[in-house]
Amino acid sequence: MHTLTKSSLALALSAFFSLPALAAQVPDNVQLADKQELVRGNGDEVPTLDPTMSSDTASSRVISDMFEGLVTEDLHGNIIPALAKSWDISDDGKQYTFHLRDAKWSNGDAITANDFVFALQRIVDAKTGAPYSWYVSMANIVNAAEIIKGDQPLDSLGVKALDDHTLQITLNQPVPYFTKMLAHESTFAIPEKVVKQYKEAWTKPEHIVVSGAYKLSEWVINEKIVLERNKEYWNDKQTVINKVTYLPISDVNAEYNRYRTGEIDITSVVPLELYQSIKKERPNELLTMPSLGTYYYLFNMDKKPFDDARVRKALAYSIDRDVITARILGQGQLPAYTNTPPAVAGFTVPKLEWAEWSQKERNQKAKELLKEAGYDHSHPLKFELEYNTSESHKKLAIVMASMWKKNLGAEVSIANQEWKTFLQTLSTKQFSVARYAWMGDYNEASTFLSYFASEGLNYGGWSNSDYDQALQQASVAKSDKERAELYQKAEQVFANDMPAIPVYFYTRSVLKNTHVGGYSKDNASDRRYTRDLYITK
């Protein structure tokens, strides 16, 4: 974790920072297969391959194979150098100077500091409409928030190219996890010349230019994305896999069947109802790992009666998370009563009053709250619960509707949409209650808490000044202890207002062919780069 605040110490450790980014590490006793090609299940169809426009896991997986940032993650989720070979941090912790390595875009052009300046200005430009512009603001880059609001010009962003190989980023205040944030694709360089020439069409296979280990060879919508090795990649000599194909299969049973026939090497998920049988039949292929992820149901604050906290709390209290995690899911998931998962480094789950109650007590309180809000069995609460197409989401939505009917008399219909349409529904707030999940962009509590900040992605539109203030104070906290206490305060505010229903904390289960090496099980991050993998004989 690069949280140095003294430039002298940063310089003293620059030799460590200058280590090459880890790639495929093949043990000496392993024989590699002649054919180094990989097929990965990817769940949903990828909405975009533009790092600036990415906001979902399916896109992120593919983009992270094609593009690289100043830093990246190793097999265990640690931050390591990527396009930056080293960096210095000013004494006050507010200025980072990144020294870029000699790296090239896939067309042979040099990757320069200006490409990072262009990318970061583009994401905060209101004309771009980037879903992750808030992320740059949360990173506290100078003038990011003001530019997003239209109060400052683009060129006032605290990002400068001192020369082709030196990038300087200035923050409003020290952000101890700033380098962790730079592993997210929204901060990656993009090729200015190509983007300006082809505009929105720049990510088409015939135009796209990339900085990572793989380049786009073919993209057939709803069928496959094929990436081939990028010979211009600065660390290509450490890369083993020559070709990776991503298959968008939202039906988990169909994905499993294609895995069984040998068509897929790594699945995106495992069918819930088959988990126990798969565990017995394929123990060497099933991987269940910790994960930085929370499964929610989001409320739209603009839709009545979900502008009423009593209704939101009633729905949150009256679901039995123990039944959901143990009987419905059964893959080691944990019941969620907070926003932030316990797997997050340095985070202690706060003691919340409602989380300590028995389920019977929660159900009783839920009925009381709903009656106060004007709903009971004679005047039932009615609404539609929306989810993106997936058997597991559907199964859980049916269970939720059943629990709400039994415990509160609520009449809930469920409706599904394909992923791209569902994202549009969320962003335009055309929903009442919707399934959602947040996978951490970096291993720190702020990646979960900042989502619900007034200026966060926050599809439900919740806003609370006490919550915002706690996060703001946490970002300038003088110690880890003080920061942890402020994160707990934010969680208390969240619980008091319940802008979303935390349901469970993820584990991540996949099936992996035993011939695939280099896949780490101990990384709570969802990033598993193809550049780290290899196929054995």
Side-chain angles (χ1 to χ4, degrees), residues 161-174:
L162 302 185
D163 58 44
D164 281 354
H165 284 87
T166 315
L167 178 74
Q168 193 174 76
I169 301 180
T170 307
L171 312 181
N172 293 312
Q173 62 195 40

Side-chain angles (χ1 to χ4, degrees), residues 55 296-300 302 386-388 417-437 451 457-461:
S55 67
Y296 302 100
Y297 287 101
L298 277 181
F299 294 112
N300 183 348
D302 296 340
E386 305 212 38
Y387 64 94
N388 55 297
Q417 295 178 345
E418 291 304 319
W419 181 238
K420 283 184 180 178
T421 310
F422 184 67
L423 276 182
Q424 185 69 19
T425 297
L426 291 176
S427 62
T428 55
K429 291 192 170 49
Q430 300 300 308
F431 70 96
S432 295
V433 183
R435 172 264 157 190
Y436 197 61
Y451 175 87
L457 191 54
N458 197 356
Y459 285 132

Side-chain angles (χ1 to χ4, degrees), residues 401-413:
S402 170
M403 286 181 174
W404 285 326
K405 177 70 176 172
K406 178 187 171 189
N407 296 330
L408 300 175
E411 296 176 8
V412 183
S413 57

Side-chain angles (χ1 to χ4, degrees), residues 254-526:
E255 185 189 56
Y256 177 51
N257 288 333
R258 289 172 78 170
Y259 174 83
R260 288 169 65 200
T261 62
E263 189 184 343
I264 293 175
D265 297 300
I266 305 171
T267 65
S268 65
V269 288
V270 171
L272 289 178
E273 65 277 10
L274 299 177
Y275 181 82
Q276 295 303 330
S277 61
I278 290 171
K279 195 174 179 180
K280 286 177 189 167
E281 294 164 15
R282 299 174 180 268
N284 297 331
E285 298 166 54
L286 177 65
L287 303 178
T288 296
M289 302 159 280
S291 183
L292 298 177
T294 307
Y295 194 105
Y296 302 100
Y297 287 101
L298 277 181
F299 294 112
N300 183 348
M301 298 293 152
D302 296 340
K303 288 266 179 88
K304 288 189 177 301
F306 304 108
D307 57 343
D308 187 332
R310 294 171 300 185
V311 173
R312 301 196 297 266
K313 285 182 179 178
L315 292 170
Y317 292 174
S318 58
I319 58 167
D320 192 330
R321 289 160 179 78
D322 292 325
V323 168
I324 290 166
T325 53
R327 294 190 207 163
I328 310 301
L329 302 171
Q331 296 180 14
Q333 292 91 342
L334 298 171
Y337 299 94
T338 59
N339 183 357
T340 311
V344 169
F347 179 73
T348 304
V349 176
K351 291 214 178 302
L352 301 172
E353 187 184 12
W354 73 282
E356 305 290 314
W357 298 339
S358 68
Q359 190 54 48
K360 187 178 176 184
E361 288 171 319
R362 281 195 282 266
N363 290 345
Q364 183 57 42
K365 183 65 174 176
K367 285 176 192 163
E368 290 169 13
L369 287 167
L370 207 58
K371 191 162 183 64
E372 279 177 34
Y375 298 95
D376 54 25
H377 283 272
S378 58
H379 179 228
L381 174 66
K382 298 179 183 179
F383 64 93
E384 186 172 76
L385 175 65
E386 305 212 38
Y387 64 94
N388 55 297
T389 306
S390 154
E391 279 305 308
S392 57
H393 298 330
K394 179 181 179 181
K395 186 176 180 181
L396 202 53
I398 291 169
V399 170
M400 300 293 279
S402 170
M403 286 181 174
W404 285 326
K405 177 70 176 172
K406 178 187 171 189
N407 296 330
L408 300 175
E411 296 176 8
V412 183
S413 57
I414 63 172
N416 67 303
Q417 295 178 345
E418 291 304 319
W419 181 238
K420 283 184 180 178
T421 310
F422 184 67
L423 276 182
Q424 185 69 19
T425 297
L426 291 176
S427 62
T428 55
K429 291 192 170 49
Q430 300 300 308
F431 70 96
S432 295
V433 183
R435 172 264 157 190
Y436 197 61
W438 189 251
M439 310 307 291
D441 294 317
Y442 49 95
N443 195 347
E444 215 269 347
S446 58
T447 189
F448 289 91
L449 295 166
S450 64
Y451 175 87
F452 288 98
S454 297
E455 292 179 1
L457 191 54
N458 197 356
Y459 285 132
W462 180 62
S463 183
N464 184 295
S465 58
D466 291 337
Y467 185 87
D468 293 343
Q469 186 180 20
L471 290 192
Q472 170 61 23
Q473 289 172 343
S475 69
V476 294
K478 295 285 190 288
S479 68
D480 291 343
K481 182 175 180 288
E482 185 188 348
R483 187 176 302 109
E485 287 169 358
L486 287 159
Y487 286 155
Q488 294 216 354
K489 183 180 176 183
E491 288 283 5
Q492 293 281 358
V493 176
F494 182 95
N496 291 341
D497 229 15
M498 207 69 75
I501 302 173
V503 182
Y504 67 85
F505 298 124
Y506 279 82
T507 50
R508 177 160 165 70
S509 295
V510 301
L511 281 155
K512 178 187 73 68
N513 186 311
T514 53
H515 292 299
V516 179
Y519 192 99
S520 169
K521 290 196 298 182
D522 65 352
N523 183 358
S525 162
D526 192 35

